[in-house]
Amino acid sequence: MLATSFVILSAFFAAQIEALPSGAPVSSCSTMMPFHIPFLFVQQGVAPFSITLSSQTASPQSPITVTLKANSGGPAFKGYLIQARSGKNIQAVGTFTADGQSNTGKTINCPGGIKNAVTHTSRTDKTSETFLWTPPANFKGQVVMMATVVVRYNQIYKGVQSSLITRKKKG
């Protein structure tokens, strides 16, 4: 009985981790994990993905392009959630634009903001997704782009990070 229950629960949880076709739910915003369930499927070590930036400085008048991509020879990915975060703060900052960029993603409204995260809109294999990010008007200090990337139900990479982004100096 216990073994049967374990198999049924394992199958249920595995199905829940598969990249949702409509993207990450708002409930994933704070943890950046599928369904807030602490799975053992988070991969350790260096992720085969990177987040590149068009610039390491940004301002509300000078947004930057953010690209999540599979590294050369790395696997394609089915799902993702990307946010800009400051320090240990779990609240996403700034706004993303998905329209007109090279992506199949969409913006979502995580708590405390509007369009402050981006996620996938289909489970098709992807090797690159590009968005525009605009910092908030009161942007000071530094932020980093954070991503969770789903390759398949048992292969999730959490904590994929960009280099630091600082406020662009006037002038």
Side-chain angles (χ1 to χ4, degrees):
M1 178 71 173
L2 184 60
T4 303
S5 296
F6 178 75
V7 170
I8 291 169
L9 282 174
S10 296
F12 171 75
F13 288 139
Q16 295 298 313
I17 284 190
E18 187 73 40
L20 293 173
S22 59
V26 171
S27 61
S28 293
C29 288
S30 64
T31 63
M32 294 193 73
M33 282 297 293
F35 293 95
H36 295 284
I37 298 171
F39 289 97
L40 301 175
F41 300 138
V42 175
Q43 304 298 300
Q44 302 298 318
V46 179
F49 307 101
S50 58
I51 299 174
T52 59
L53 310 169
S54 61
S55 175
Q56 288 185 276
T57 60
S59 72
Q61 299 76 30
S62 297
I64 62 172
T65 302
V66 177
T67 302
L68 171 65
K69 64 180 180 179
N71 295 340
S72 179
F77 51 95
K78 294 187 180 298
Y80 58 88
L81 176 62
I82 305 171
Q83 301 175 354
R85 290 188 172 185
S86 177
K88 294 184 189 267
N89 192 343
I90 62 168
Q91 187 172 355
V93 298
T95 57
F96 284 92
T97 303
D99 303 333
Q101 298 296 313
S102 171
N103 66 64
T104 60
K106 67 177 183 178
T107 59
I108 59 173
N109 301 332
C110 287
I114 304 291
K115 298 182 178 183
N116 56 355
V118 287
T119 189
H120 58 282
T121 56
S122 77
R123 287 188 269 212
T124 59
D125 284 346
K126 304 163 219 6
T127 57
S128 181
E129 294 282 277
T130 300
F131 302 94
L132 195 64
W133 178 76
T134 304
N138 61 350
F139 177 50
K140 294 181 179 137
Q142 301 174 328
V143 297
V144 65
M145 293 293 157
M146 298 286 294
T148 296
V149 184
V150 176
V151 175
R152 59 182 174 270
Y153 79 92
N154 63 349
Q155 191 174 3
I156 299 169
Y157 293 88
K158 183 180 178 191
V160 178
Q161 296 184 23
S162 71
S163 53
L164 288 173
I165 304 164
T166 58
R167 181 170 178 89
K168 188 173 196 165
K169 297 189 185 336
K170 295 179 182 179

